Amino acid sequence: MTAQHITSPEKMEALIALSKRRGFIYQGSEIYGGLAGTWDYGPLGVMLKKNIENLWWTMFVSDREDMYGVDAAILMNPAAWVASGHVGGFSDPLVEDIKTKKRYRADHLLEDAGVDVKGMTLADMDRAIKEKKLLSPEKNPLGEVRQFNMMFKTFVGATEDASGVTYLRPETAGGMFMNYKNVLDSFHPKLPFGLGQIGKAFRNEIAPRDFIFRVRELEQMEIEYFIDPKDWEERFEHWRKEMWRYIDAIGLSRAHVHELEVADGDRAHYSKRTIDFEYDFPFGKKELYGLAYRTDFDLRSHQEGSKTDLTYFDEETKARFLPHVIEPSFGVGRTLLAVMSEAYTEDEMNGEKRVYLKFKPDIAPIRVAVFPLLKNRPELVAKAREVFALLKKEFLNVIFDDNGNIGKRYRRQDEIGTPYCVTVDFDTLGEHPELRDTVTLRDRDSGEQHRVPLSELCDALK
Ligand code: GAP
């Protein structure tokens, strides 16, 4: 079988199994039976996640003069979530199994029954469920479709009453609107400028599903880009292109990512235009990222809610106004899942079926693995350790592996997506004098090996 992009439940199963087996992603609190909608990142998952985040931060914050990084508190004054419209409107359509009292997303049940729910109101969904005589997954009748607020409530301080209620932020965006004025006052940036943040957000999803695709504790990489409203179309276009540049950089094929212009009735309450970037996940075409024109909805709401002047003064035109906002929003978990799905490849090597992750080298959790040919020959192990130390100085993600035979080690590295393996053998030690201080460098995708002098190894890997 050749490398291919497979959209199938079998591929999803294989990815979940590989993630657990090799230490990418584990079920949250697994020894207690898990907690729905939570997943833990293992050692390789953390490395992959950090590479994804670092690439994003470099491209969109460090490399740009118009961007400022922030890291805001997850807990915020609840008045901010009232002003932003989340207390009133951050909800999903819910329907209850009237026997078991279990709750389901009404739109998901309808979609599973082949109904296009785009633009449907609550009443439309209710009608459609009744017309189609839909039952719950347990085959029981369903109640009325209702709105369900997805914010997690918690209490601040010692009193567990209404005065102490606040929320875990449902989007990192909120923390950036809290810091717009701070950054304006500290750095006096001129429009357009943006804030960028990577952090956790929490949503009490009624139906978490599809592995790490829809979870209750998620991570977002978001930008709030403040602009003069007259330029919104140009700035929107700029960020659309930048999002595609990131999609290329993490190694997703453009053929597997699709733009969807979100229709009027389906946009979030704050958005005047939204494009969703959808990816061909193993379970179907679903939202990966969103790009929204939030107008001045947030700054206006927070200005009114906090009674604080959030206007911007343009020195050139002497005009004072509320900037508008373009918001590119990226889910970290969905990026990781798309990157793993894209990389998952099955082929045949030396007559055997092989599974490997074809990550781009910049994204791969491990960039290079170093092996001594044999574990029980101290002179080989010592030399391999020297090579490992040399590479570790140059590249961060380097590992040493002497477990099992060399074929098994290659398979293990293929399965975790390590692009290069370096083997120290008897020729490295001078068995054939003309090969002294050379090593074999193996390429993950082709399985081909060639000898490289140690003095050229770092350059070859770069
Ligand atoms: N600030 C805008 C905002 O939060 P969103 O479309 O609700 O917009 C943005 O979320 C991105 O966050 C999505 O495109 C997706 O990548 C990710 N995301 C949202 N909800 C998620 C969930 N329950 N699980 C995993 N990722 C999620």
Side-chain angles (χ1 to χ4, degrees):
M1 207 184 347
T2 51
Q4 57 193 296
H5 188 76
I6 322 159
T7 297
S8 71
E10 291 76 31
K11 178 174 168 181
M12 193 66 205
E13 289 307 312
L15 260 179
I16 296 173
L18 188 155
S19 295
K20 181 175 159 81
R21 190 171 61 248
R22 292 295 182 204
F24 282 88
I25 298 160
Y26 307 113
Q27 193 185 357
S29 339
E30 190 175 4
I31 58 171
Y32 285 98
L35 176 68
T38 65
W39 296 89
D40 295 343
Y41 287 86
L44 291 179
V46 173
M47 287 163 131
L48 180 57
K49 190 155 83 73
K50 285 208 180 300
N51 290 345
I52 284 169
E53 291 173 352
N54 289 343
L55 186 63
W56 186 93
W57 193 264
T58 304
M59 279 176 74
F60 297 141
V61 182
S62 323
D63 278 357
R64 295 180 62 123
E65 285 186 35
D66 56 350
M67 286 294 301
Y68 297 82
V70 291
D71 188 358
I74 288 172
L75 296 176
M76 289 171 33
N77 188 312
W81 297 115
V82 174
S84 68
H86 285 82
V87 171
F90 191 65
S91 49
D92 269 343
L94 164 155
V95 70
E96 207 170 78
D97 176 318
I98 57 172
K99 265 205 180 140
T100 64
K101 304 289 175 212
K102 275 195 193 157
R103 293 160 166 197
Y104 299 96
R105 282 273 294 263
D107 51 341
H108 287 173
L109 292 181
L110 283 163
E111 273 172 353
D112 291 348
V115 178
D116 181 4
V117 296
K118 287 201 175 77
M120 272 193 170
T121 62
L122 278 193
D124 293 338
M125 288 189 209
D126 206 50
R127 210 171 307 117
I129 284 178
K130 292 200 169 83
E131 272 169 20
K132 292 216 156 239
K133 299 192 171 47
L134 288 190
L135 298 173
S136 73
E138 284 97 356
K139 307 281 173 256
N140 297 318
L142 293 163
E144 291 275 302
V145 179
R146 288 187 285 126
Q147 287 291 10
F148 169 75
N149 193 297
M150 293 201 291
M151 283 200 295
F152 278 102
K153 263 189 197 163
T154 188
F155 299 96
V156 173
T159 48
E160 291 202 0
D161 61 26
S163 66
V165 166
T166 191
Y167 307 91
L168 302 187
R169 68 181 178 204
E171 53 172 11
T172 57
M176 285 186 277
F177 293 120
M178 296 304 100
N179 285 287
Y180 150 83
K181 186 172 155 43
N182 291 334
V183 171
L184 203 59
D185 292 347
S186 309
F187 298 90
H188 309 289
K190 291 208 167 16
L191 291 184
F193 75 93
L195 302 190
Q197 176 169 228
I198 299 178
K200 292 244 175 177
F202 301 82
R203 299 181 182 188
N204 196 4
E205 296 280 355
I206 302 161
R209 62 178 182 181
D210 296 323
F211 192 31
I212 55 170
F213 177 80
R214 188 176 303 286
V215 292
R216 291 185 167 138
E217 179 175 336
L218 56 133
E219 218 160 337
Q220 293 181 313
M221 308 183 280
E222 292 199 297
I223 292 162
E224 306 305 323
Y225 198 68
F226 300 96
I227 58 163
D228 186 323
K230 70 175 170 29
D231 303 329
W232 82 264
E233 274 150 321
E234 187 192 323
R235 305 295 177 209
F236 193 90
E237 209 42 47
H238 166 79
W239 281 106
R240 188 218 286 247
K241 290 204 185 99
E242 285 297 283
M243 292 179 84
W244 277 110
R245 209 160 66 81
Y246 183 72
I247 288 164
D248 292 338
I250 53 175
L252 302 186
S253 157
R254 287 196 174 210
H256 303 146
V257 183
H258 317 272
E259 284 190 12
L260 172 83
E261 185 75 46
V262 181
D264 274 358
D266 293 328
R267 283 196 297 268
H269 60 280
Y270 48 71
S271 175
K272 198 162 162 192
R273 183 176 181 201
T274 298
I275 288 178
D276 280 349
F277 289 76
E278 297 186 318
Y279 180 73
D280 294 324
F281 286 102
F283 41 85
K285 190 165 74 161
K286 298 270 175 200
E287 180 186 334
L288 174 65
Y289 303 142
L291 172 64
Y293 170 37
R294 291 181 80 126
T295 68
D296 61 355
F297 174 87
D298 302 275
L299 290 187
R300 187 168 296 284
S301 308
H302 290 307
Q303 178 166 267
E304 281 162 21
S306 66
K307 309 272 179 284
T308 307
D309 179 9
L310 298 179
T311 54
Y312 169 86
F313 182 68
D314 189 321
E315 300 284 353
E316 272 172 36
T317 62
K318 307 290 177 216
R320 183 170 278 288
F321 60 94
L322 277 174
H324 282 215
V325 169
I326 303 290
E327 179 193 62
S329 180
F330 305 69
V332 176
R334 287 189 192 178
T335 306
L336 195 135
L337 184 56
V339 164
M340 286 190 78
S341 309
E342 186 83 28
Y344 184 89
T345 313
E346 292 174 3
D347 70 357
E348 230 178 75
M349 190 168 273
N350 307 327
E352 272 181 46
K353 185 181 165 231
R354 170 176 84 137
V355 168
Y356 70 106
L357 294 176
K358 205 174 175 173
F359 292 131
K360 281 183 96 172
D362 287 346
I363 286 289
I366 307 291
R367 197 181 180 101
V368 48
V370 181
F371 311 149
L373 181 65
L374 299 172
K375 184 184 185 168
N376 57 1
R377 297 293 291 262
E379 66 278 32
L380 284 177
V381 174
K383 187 72 184 171
R385 282 268 166 211
E386 248 178 62
V387 175
F388 170 66
L390 172 92
L391 294 179
K392 195 88 182 150
K393 260 195 242 150
E394 197 72 31
F395 310 99
L396 289 178
N397 305 347
V398 185
I399 58 161
F400 182 88
D401 189 2
D402 59 4
N403 242 326
N405 69 40
I406 197 90
K408 280 208 178 114
R409 291 183 224 159
Y410 284 145
R411 286 300 144 88
R412 199 158 50 230
Q413 294 304 323
D414 287 348
E415 223 189 3
I416 64 170
T418 305
Y420 305 107
C421 294
V422 168
T423 303
V424 168
D425 56 17
F426 292 106
D427 282 335
T428 317
L429 303 179
E431 190 166 275
H432 293 98
E434 70 282 11
L435 296 179
R436 177 179 287 280
D437 281 336
T438 64
V439 287
T440 64
L441 180 60
R442 175 187 180 268
D443 177 83
R444 173 196 63 203
D445 301 350
S446 64
E448 279 168 14
Q449 299 178 33
H450 63 280
R451 290 204 84 84
V452 180
L454 274 176
S455 55
E456 292 169 22
L457 186 57
C458 285
D459 284 343
L461 285 167
K462 276 179 198 156

